Amino acid sequence: MTASRIVALGHYQPPKILTNDDLSAMVDTDDQWIRSRVGIRTRHIAEDETVVDLAAGAAQKALAHAGVTPDQIDLVAVATCTAVERSPNTAASVAARLGIPTPAAYDLNTVCSGFSYALATADHAIRAGAATRALVIGAERMSDVLDWTDRTTCVIFADGAGAAVLEAVPDEQAGIGPVVWGSEPEKGEAVVIRGWQPVISQQGQTVFRWATTQVAPLARQACEKAGLDPSELRGFVAHQANLRIIDAIAGRLGLAEDAVVARDVVDSGNTSAASIPLALSKLVERGELHSGDPVLLFGFGGGLAYAGQVVRCP
C-alpha cells in the first residue's frame, strides 16, 4: 500500500505591512479595539503581487527545502478563493512559472478550509497511484475583496501563501492521516464573497459561536482517525481566523501543556486558505516543531466547510 507524507514546506508574504495604527487612519478603529476582538497586530498586504505571484513564491521555497526539481512534480493543487483568472487556473499558471512540465493541475475553493481539502485530495491521488509527488499550495489575496470602509472586515483579512511538497511513501511511513471533512450548507450565508466586483461580508457572531462549539469535537475525530489522543499532539494549527477562536478551540481539545499552538494570526491576519500552511511553515522554520512531530491541522470558514487531518512534520 502507498501513502504520502509532507517532505518540505515554504511560505511567502508580501513585504508591505499594515499595522493597526495604519488602519486607524483609514477607518474608525484603533489598536485596542482590533486586538481585543480578533487579536491581530499587523497584516501583510499585496501591492503588485498577484495570487499566482504569492503562490509561486511559497512553492519555490518549498521545492528548494525539499531538494526537488520542478520536473519531479506531477500534481499541483492550489487552494484559493481570490483567483481573478478563471482560465488558465492558478495551478496551471504556477506550474508554468516554475517550469513544471506536465502536471495534473487544479484549483480548489472551499475558502478558509481550502488547504486541508487540497492536502487531502493530493494525498488521495498519491494513495490511488495517480501521482507520486505533489505540490499543494494555499494562496490568497484577500485585500482584493475588502471594503476598506468596513471596520468589521478590513481589520481582519490579509494576503499570503504557504506550500507543501508531498511524496509517495510505503503505508507504514504515512505522514498524512485520514481527513475529517464536511460542511454546514444551511449556514453558508455566514461568510459571503459574491458578484463580479466581490466584497467579503461575514456574520461574525455566527462564525464565532459555530467555531468555538463545533470545531473541537470534529478535530478530535481527526485525531481518532489518526489513532492519536489530542494529548499526544505536538502541535495544533487551526485556520488563523481570530485569536479568540483559536484559543477557545485549543482549550477544548485537551492538548498537552507543552503542545505548540499556532497563533500566526497576530502578525499575519486572516489569510483564508493560506493561513494553515503559512503558520505551519513558520513554526517548522523557527524550530518550534520538529521532524516527525504529529500536528493537527484544521480549517473552517466560508460555506461553513471544514476539514482537518493529523500530519507529521517534515
Side-chain angles (χ1 to χ4, degrees), residues 5-240:
R5 65 176 180 135
I6 298 172
V7 295
L9 297 158
H11 63 274
Y12 176 81
Q13 292 176 281
K16 180 180 178 180
I17 296 174
L18 197 65
T19 68
N20 291 344
D21 289 338
D22 293 332
L23 281 166
S24 69
M26 301 163 56
V27 68
D28 182 18
T29 192
D30 58 48
D31 179 68
Q32 191 277 332
W33 189 90
I34 297 169
R35 289 201 194 201
S36 65
R37 282 159 178 78
V38 293
I40 298 170
R41 181 172 55 198
T42 60
R43 70 284 293 147
H44 291 248
I45 301 297
E47 296 183 288
D48 298 327
E49 300 104 325
T50 65
V51 172
V52 173
D53 293 331
L54 301 175
Q60 285 174 324
K61 291 181 179 179
L63 290 173
H65 291 158
V68 168
T69 56
D71 61 293
Q72 295 175 293
I73 298 293
D74 52 15
L75 186 153
V76 180
V78 176
T80 185
C81 69
T82 52
V84 175
E85 291 77 16
R86 285 160 174 76
S87 182
N89 63 20
T90 307
S93 296
V94 169
R97 178 78 60 85
L98 299 179
I100 301 172
T102 57
Y106 60 88
D107 289 2
L108 185 153
N109 177 10
T110 59
V111 199
C112 303
S113 59
F115 181 78
S116 283
Y117 266 82
L119 190 66
T121 61
D123 173 57
H124 296 165
I126 291 173
R127 287 177 177 271
T132 57
R133 192 173 280 111
L135 181 59
V136 181
I137 307 166
E140 302 283 18
R141 183 172 159 139
M142 296 301 292
S143 59
D144 278 349
V145 297
L146 289 179
D147 175 356
W148 290 99
T149 67
D150 177 10
R151 74 171 185 170
T152 66
T153 54
C154 74
V155 303
I156 297 173
F157 295 97
D159 306 330
V165 175
L166 278 60
E167 70 176 15
V169 294
D171 194 56
E172 61 271 17
Q173 297 177 24
I176 298 176
V179 67
V180 170
W181 55 7
S183 65
E184 294 201 18
E186 71 278 6
K187 292 186 174 69
E189 296 296 310
V191 183
V192 173
I193 307 174
R194 283 205 179 105
W196 288 105
Q197 293 181 311
V199 173
I200 191 168
S201 62
Q202 67 175 358
Q203 299 167 8
Q205 284 304 308
T206 298
V207 175
F208 184 88
R209 284 193 296 269
W210 181 84
T212 54
T213 59
Q214 302 302 310
V215 168
L218 294 166
R220 281 196 290 271
Q221 288 181 32
C223 293
E224 290 169 9
K225 283 196 169 189
L228 290 173
D229 186 85
S231 63
E232 298 176 88
L233 295 170
R234 294 299 307 130
F236 173 50
V237 183
H239 164 51
Q240 303 291 291

Side-chain angles (χ1 to χ4, degrees), residues 229-274:
D229 186 85
S231 63
E232 298 176 88
L233 295 170
R234 294 299 307 130
F236 173 50
V237 183
H239 164 51
Q240 303 291 291
N242 175 315
L243 186 59
R244 292 165 62 206
I245 290 175
I246 294 165
D247 287 342
I249 298 169
R252 295 190 65 195
L253 272 177
L255 301 170
E257 287 188 9
D258 60 348
V260 176
V261 177
R263 295 182 174 89
D264 188 51
V265 67
V266 174
D267 299 313
S268 299
N270 179 338
T271 56
S272 187

